[in-house]
Amino acid sequence: MSKTREELYTSRAEAIAGEESKAASKSSLVSWLRVAVFVAGVAVAWYFFSNYQMAEGAISVLLFYALFIVVLRWHSRLDFKHQQLVLLRRVNEQEVERLQGKLKNFDGGNAFINDQHPYTSDLDIFGQNSLFQLMNRSVTDIGKSRLASWFRAAASPSEVALRQEAVAELAQPEQLDWLQALLALPMHYKHDQQPADGFIAWFSDKTFFRQHPWVKVLLFVLPLLTLAAIAAWFYGFSGWIAVAFLLAQFWLAYKFRVERDEYYEKSIGIYEAMRSYTKQLQHIEQHQFSAPRLQQLQQGLKRSGTSSANLYKLANIIDYFSWRLSTLMAFFLNTILMWDFVWMYRLENWRDKFLPQLKESLDILAEIEALASIAAFQHAHPEYAVPQLSQQPFEYRAVALAHPLIFSVRPVANDFETQGIGHTMVITGSNMSGKTTFLRTVGINMVMALMGAPACADRLIVAPAQVYTAMRTADNLAENTSSFYAELKRLRMLLELTEKGQPVFYLLDEILKGTNSRDRHLGAMSLIRQLHHRNASGLISTHDLELGAMEEELPGSVQNYSFNSDIIGDEIRFDYKLTKGICRSFNASKLMQLMGIDIAEEKV
C-alpha cells in the first residue's frame, strides 16, 4: 500500500511540475508587460509635457498609472499561483520522503520535549526520528502546538470519535487537492517571528488612547490644521503657522517614540502570520464539510462576519503602518499626518471589535490544521487501522501491530492482547531480540489511538488510560543524580500517578538495572505486587528469568511472553515475534565473542 501511495505522490509531483513550468512562463511574460506599460507611460507623458500639453500629460499619467496597477495585480496573482504550484509539488515530495523514512529535514517539535512527561521521551514522540516528524504537516506555530498537545494528552472517547470522523472525511481521495492546498498555503509566509498568542496577550492590555485621550483629539484635528496652514502659506499667509503645527507633530512623535516603536515592532512580528492565516481561513470558509466537527468549526468562523475578512483588515493595518520604514516617507507622514498614531488608533479600534473573534478563529484554525496533519498521515497510510475504543478496563487487542517509525520493507508485526485491572505481561528475551521495541510499539500506537489518529496495525481495540513509561533513564551531572536514582524517581512518579485512581497503562523496560541482581529481583517483584493492587496494568521487559515465577504467584494476572533468537554458526538470527512463555535462548556470550572478547568456558 505504501508503495502505491509513493507512486501516487510522485506522479502528482511530476504533474504539478509541468503546470509549474507553464505558470512560471506566464508570470514572466506579464512581468515584462508590466515593464512595457511603465516605459510606455513615461514616454507618452514625456511627449505631452515636452510639447506643453499639460492636461493631456496629466491624463496620460493617470491612465498609465491605473493600467500599471491593473497589470501589477494581475502579475501578483499569477506569481502567487506559480508559488502555490511550487509548494504543492514540495508537499507531495515531502510525502514521499516520509514514506521512505527520510525525516531529518522535518521539524521534530524540539520545543515540546519534556523529559518529565509520562511517556513522550521514551516513545520518540518529539525530536529526531520522531512521530511528530512523521505526522506533522503544519508550518504554523498554532498548528504545531495544537498537534503537540494532542500527542501529550489523551482525548475523551467522544472527542476521539469526532476527530476520527473529521479525519476520515479529510483523508478521502477526492479531498486530497483541497487538503494539500491547505497545507501549502502557509508555506508562502514566514513563521519564525512572534507567535500569535504572544501578540494577543500583549495587545489585550494596550490602551494608549484611553490613557492619552487628548492625543486622539489631536489625531483628528492637527493634521487638518497642518494641511490648511501649508495651503494658506502658498496663498500668501505666514509660513510660521504651518511650522508651528509641524513642530507640534514632531514633538508628539518624539514624546511617544517608545510607544510608537513598540506598537510597530509587536504588530509587524505577526504580519506574515496574519497573511498566512487569512489565506487558510478563506480556504476553509469556502469549502463544504459533512463531518459534524468540521461543520461546527466552520460555523465558528462565520459568527461575526467572516474571520478571514477581519484578519485581512488587521494585515492591511500593519502593512500601512510599515510605511514608516521609508525614512523620507516617514518624515513627511509623521510630521504632517501623524501617520504612526493613525495606525496605532486603527489597531486599537480593530482590537476592540475583533480581538475576541481573533482568539476563536486562531483556535479553530489550529484545530483544523491538526486534523489536516492527521488526515494527510492517514491518507499516506490507508493500510493503517482506525482504532476502536473499548469500555473494558485496560483492554488492548491488536492484530499485526507494528512500529510506525520502522521503515523496513517488511516490518515484523505482532498480534497482542491483554485485558483487566492489575495485569502485567513480563517479557523476557535475549539482547537485541526486540523487547524494548515491542514496548515502544505498544505505547506509541496507544498514544496515536487516543489522539484520534490511525494506528500501525491491521486492527486495534484499546481502552482509554494514562500511558506511562520508564525506559530511558540517565544520570544528570548537573543535579548530581545517578542513572539508578533517576530510574527510582521515575518509578516513584508512576506509583504517585496510580495513587490518584485514574487508569494507568505502564511500559517498563529493564527496571532497576542499576543495582545488583538480588536487589533487582526483589525490587521488581515488589513493584509488580504493588501495581497489581492499583488501577493499573502494563508490560515489563527484563533479562531476569526469575520474574517469570510470578506467573505462578499471581495466576491470571501475570503472563510470560518472550522474544527469542537462534545461533547458527557465527550468526545470530532474530525473528522479532512475540511468543508465549519465558525466553530460553540467550546470546550475550556469542555477541561478545563476535566483538572479539574471548569467553572462557565454565569449568564444572
Side-chain angles (χ1 to χ4, degrees):
M1 273 296 200
S2 293
K3 182 62 176 176
T4 303
R5 282 297 191 249
E6 186 174 331
E7 291 174 346
L8 170 66
Y9 296 131
T10 300
S11 64
R12 284 177 64 87
E14 291 172 351
I16 292 171
E19 296 179 44
E20 178 188 328
S21 178
K22 295 177 183 177
S25 298
K26 189 173 182 179
S27 178
S28 177
L29 184 63
V30 175
S31 178
W32 282 109
L33 177 60
R34 185 179 64 178
V35 174
V37 169
F38 177 80
V39 172
V42 171
V44 171
W46 179 82
Y47 171 79
F48 282 123
F49 286 127
S50 62
N51 289 285
Y52 302 101
Q53 294 175 282
M54 299 305 178
E56 290 84 349
I59 292 172
S60 67
V61 168
L62 292 175
L63 289 176
F64 274 97
Y65 178 76
L67 181 59
F68 181 80
I69 294 299
V70 170
V71 176
L72 178 64
R73 290 182 177 178
W74 183 19
H75 178 255
S76 296
R77 290 194 297 271
L78 290 175
D79 186 59
F80 186 89
K81 181 180 179 181
H82 170 244
Q83 290 302 317
Q84 179 72 354
L85 289 169
V86 171
L87 296 172
L88 284 171
R89 172 175 54 80
R90 183 60 187 145
V91 165
N92 284 277
E93 291 171 347
Q94 288 175 341
E95 292 296 347
V96 174
E97 291 173 7
R98 288 189 178 92
L99 288 172
Q100 295 174 344
K102 300 175 182 178
L103 303 180
K104 64 179 182 179
N105 294 324
F106 296 108
D107 183 5
N110 292 340
F112 309 114
I113 293 176
N114 176 10
D115 291 337
Q116 300 305 309
H117 189 270
Y119 57 79
T120 54
S121 293
D122 287 336
L123 298 183
D124 300 307
I125 303 299
F126 305 111
Q128 282 300 310
N129 300 311
S130 66
L131 185 61
F132 189 83
Q133 284 182 306
L134 181 64
M135 192 179 296
N136 174 61
R137 268 72 170 171
S138 178
V139 299
T140 69
D141 292 328
I142 58 174
K144 292 177 183 178
S145 296
R146 182 58 54 89
L147 185 64
S149 70
W150 290 1
F151 278 125
R152 292 190 299 247
S156 66
S158 59
E159 178 65 21
V160 169
L162 287 171
R163 289 180 191 173
Q164 287 179 340
E165 192 174 7
V167 167
E169 178 179 339
L170 295 178
Q172 292 173 3
E174 57 268 26
Q175 297 284 354
L176 186 58
D177 288 341
W178 183 89
L179 179 64
Q180 290 192 341
L182 178 70
L183 299 175
L185 282 171
M187 296 180 184
H188 288 268
Y189 308 98
K190 296 179 181 178
H191 294 271
D192 56 354
Q193 299 188 48
Q194 178 181 228
D197 55 354
F199 171 78
I200 291 172
W202 168 83
F203 201 24
S204 299
D205 298 330
K206 285 298 166 184
T207 55
F208 176 82
F209 287 97
R210 292 179 191 169
Q211 296 174 354
H212 308 93
W214 55 275
V215 178
K216 181 178 177 181
V217 175
L218 292 177
L219 178 62
F220 291 97
V221 175
L222 193 53
L224 293 176
L225 293 176
T226 305
L227 290 171
I230 292 173
W233 178 37
F234 282 104
Y235 284 95
F237 288 86
S238 173
W240 289 109
I241 300 174
V243 170
F245 287 136
L246 292 171
L247 288 175
Q249 291 203 42
F250 180 81
W251 175 79
L252 282 172
Y254 180 79
K255 176 178 175 61
F256 295 111
R257 62 190 183 282
V258 174
E259 289 84 353
R260 291 188 300 119
D261 290 344
E262 181 185 17
Y263 268 67
Y264 174 73
E265 293 298 333
K266 290 292 185 180
S267 59
I268 199 63
I270 63 152
Y271 173 65
E272 291 283 325
M274 287 301 115
R275 293 181 66 196
S276 170
Y277 300 153
T278 298
K279 289 289 186 182
Q280 289 176 283
L281 290 172
Q282 286 174 342
H283 192 64
I284 295 167
E285 289 165 353
Q286 294 166 2
H287 198 61
Q288 289 187 341
F289 300 107
S290 58
R293 170 51 57 84
L294 296 173
Q295 288 181 338
Q296 175 191 7
L297 293 172
Q298 189 182 51
Q299 289 167 4
L301 296 176
K302 299 179 179 179
R303 289 196 185 109
S304 302
T306 57
S307 296
S308 60
N310 294 332
L311 261 66
Y312 180 74
K313 293 176 184 176
L314 176 59
N316 269 353
I317 291 171
I318 298 171
D319 189 22
Y320 282 118
F321 202 168
S322 68
W323 287 15
R324 75 198 304 267
L325 293 180
S326 170
T327 304
L328 184 62
M329 183 177 288
F331 175 78
F332 286 106
L333 291 175
N334 276 316
T335 53
I336 297 176
L337 301 177
M338 295 182 67
W339 189 259
D340 283 359
F341 293 103
V342 168
W343 299 107
M344 288 168 63
Y345 174 74
R346 291 287 303 276
L347 277 173
E348 289 196 3
N349 192 44
W350 185 95
R351 177 201 59 202
D352 294 340
K353 292 180 179 179
F354 301 117
L355 189 62
Q357 190 194 23
L358 173 64
K359 297 177 183 178
E360 183 182 10
S361 298
L362 296 188
D363 184 67
I364 290 171
L365 180 56
E367 187 92 358
I368 293 178
E369 277 200 276
L371 291 170
S373 285
I374 299 176
F377 176 73
Q378 183 163 312
H379 182 274
H381 297 278
E383 73 278 14
Y384 282 12
V386 176
Q388 303 173 42
L389 297 192
S390 171
Q391 296 182 348
Q392 299 298 321
F394 296 102
E395 182 175 12
Y396 196 123
R397 299 184 187 275
V399 177
L401 187 72
H403 200 295
L405 293 172
I406 296 178
F407 300 97
S408 309
V409 177
R410 291 184 178 179
V412 178
N414 281 286
D415 296 346
F416 164 68
E417 64 178 67
T418 184
Q419 181 178 326
I421 299 173
H423 282 224
T424 299
M425 287 182 62
V426 176
I427 302 178
T428 53
S430 57
N431 295 288
M432 303 188 303
S433 61
K435 303 186 304 297
T436 304
T437 299
F438 180 70
L439 262 63
R440 291 197 174 104
T441 299
V442 170
I444 200 169
N445 279 286
M446 189 169 180
V447 170
M448 292 162 70
L450 297 180
M451 68 179 289
C456 187
D458 288 349
R459 185 166 181 256
L460 179 61
I461 301 173
V462 63
Q466 170 66 60
V467 178
Y468 193 89
T469 63
M471 297 181 185
R472 291 178 177 140
T473 51
D475 57 353
N476 189 319
L477 297 179
E479 297 181 2
N480 195 27
T481 302
S482 69
S483 58
F484 178 66
Y485 185 65
E487 185 179 4
L488 289 179
K489 289 172 64 177
R490 190 77 184 171
L491 294 176
R492 184 182 66 183
M493 290 170 61
L494 169 61
L495 292 174
E496 291 173 350
L497 196 61
T498 59
E499 287 175 352
K500 297 177 181 178
Q502 69 179 110
V504 178
F505 192 86
Y506 53 84
L507 301 162
L508 312 179
D509 182 43
E510 295 291 350
I511 58 173
L512 305 177
K513 52 185 171 289
T515 186
N516 63 76
S517 59
R518 182 178 180 278
D519 285 343
R520 183 169 63 248
H521 302 157
L522 178 63
M525 289 180 176
S526 299
L527 179 63
I528 291 174
R529 294 187 189 104
Q530 195 167 355
L531 291 172
H532 175 64
H533 297 288
R534 303 280 178 92
N535 189 18
S537 287
L539 287 72
I540 296 179
S541 71
T542 181
H543 282 95
D544 298 330
L545 299 184
E546 288 82 352
L547 284 185
M550 297 204 70
E551 187 178 57
E552 298 179 3
E553 178 184 334
L554 298 171
S557 295
V558 175
Q559 294 175 296
N560 288 321
Y561 285 83
S562 60
F563 286 91
N564 298 275
S565 62
D566 295 318
I567 300 176
I568 301 175
D570 285 338
E571 183 180 0
I572 302 174
R573 295 182 180 178
F574 303 95
D575 62 10
Y576 304 110
K577 299 299 291 187
L578 183 68
T579 307
K580 284 189 69 69
I582 298 175
C583 176
R584 298 301 179 185
S585 61
F586 291 90
N587 57 28
S589 297
K590 190 63 179 180
L591 283 170
M592 287 186 282
Q593 286 180 340
L594 294 176
M595 291 297 108
I597 300 174
D598 293 330
I599 303 297
E601 296 290 338
E602 287 189 8
K603 294 181 180 180
V604 180

